[in-house]
Amino acid sequence: SAHLGAMPEGVSRAFSTGVQAYRQGEFAAAQRLFGRASARAPRAVDAWANFGTAAWARGDSAGAAMGWQRALRLDPLDAELRERLRVIQSPVVTSPAYVPPVSVDAAALAALLLWIAAWLVLAVPAATRIANARAVAGGGLLLAVVMLGAALELNDRAAVRGLGVLRSARTLVDAPTGSAAPVAAVSAGEVGALGAREGAWVRISIDGARAGWLPVAAVLPLDGSAGMD
């Protein structure tokens, strides 16, 4: 993940000014400044995390969820971010909001090391190989493939495209019309997977039990720049 020290001067300046504004209780200004920093440096974990914290301080649950989700997907081992998000939405493993506490890079590196180690075992002359070398190497190769698959899955989980944050508490309905029947209640800041779109309506799935339609304007795309609302 990017560090602010390696970012352009304008980004670092916006971040520093945002910190000052937050300390002075000017949360709306701080949110705008952290949003400006994260828009210019979308892999800066601290900018996203602070955007979320400033949003939460001013009662903007959607902005808080957006900032903390973006930060956690860049740094999935951050336990503090995970706890903050727990206040907004329960961490259900099958939910689009869930971010596994495993680094994509670590899983990919493990797959590579297992792959290399397995082939090194096979490269040893037959006379000096360990017992059952072929079986050991085969197991290593299989495990490497499994780890690579896990890394790809983690990478997909870390992605933000196709996800949305609820701007406010609402009721999902069963069809893209104003007269449709209600199907589930959702809260501000909850994250869901966006699906089909019809006119000014979009379908969203929050978890296995809650899915339905709501106005497009009610959703903040997670892959967009930090909102300034």
Side-chain angles (χ1 to χ4, degrees):
S1 300
H3 295 286
L4 286 167
M7 295 296 107
E9 181 181 350
V11 176
S12 298
R13 185 166 56 249
F15 184 88
S16 298
T17 307
V19 171
Q20 294 173 7
Y22 184 87
R23 289 173 176 170
Q24 295 170 1
E26 299 171 1
F27 303 127
Q31 184 178 357
R32 285 195 300 273
L33 288 160
F34 291 133
R36 189 179 305 164
S38 60
R40 293 187 59 188
R43 295 193 60 80
V45 177
D46 290 344
W48 282 113
N50 284 12
F51 175 87
T53 301
W56 182 257
R58 61 183 289 256
D60 178 8
S61 297
M66 181 179 187
W68 294 340
Q69 277 278 341
R70 292 292 296 262
L72 186 61
R73 287 166 194 272
L74 291 168
D75 185 7
L77 301 181
D78 192 318
E80 184 178 353
L81 284 170
R82 197 172 294 277
E83 285 303 312
R84 291 177 183 178
L85 283 167
R86 189 187 298 271
V87 176
I88 298 176
Q89 185 173 1
S90 298
V92 179
V93 175
T94 55
S95 166
Y98 181 74
V99 182
V102 181
S103 167
V104 176
D105 291 342
L109 179 60
L112 176 61
L113 293 177
L114 283 167
W115 185 267
I116 293 173
W119 283 108
L120 286 176
V121 168
L122 292 177
V124 173
T128 57
R129 284 180 186 170
I130 62 173
N132 302 316
R134 289 185 177 276
V136 171
L141 291 172
L142 178 60
L143 188 55
V145 172
V146 172
M147 289 300 297
L148 178 60
L152 293 173
E153 173 65 21
L154 288 170
N155 189 60
D156 287 343
R157 278 283 188 167
V160 294
R161 182 173 299 176
L163 300 180
V165 182
L166 274 297
R167 291 181 180 271
S168 60
R170 303 189 62 91
T171 299
L172 302 182
V173 295
D174 65 358
T177 66
S179 58
V183 293
V186 292
S187 301
E190 288 197 280
V191 174
L194 302 176
R197 179 168 175 171
E198 291 193 21
W201 294 80
V202 65
R203 183 171 174 80
I204 189 170
S205 176
I206 305 298
D207 50 43
R210 291 179 299 157
W213 294 85
L214 79 171
V216 172
V219 183
L220 181 65
L222 199 59
D223 63 355
S225 296
M228 303 301 170
D229 296 345

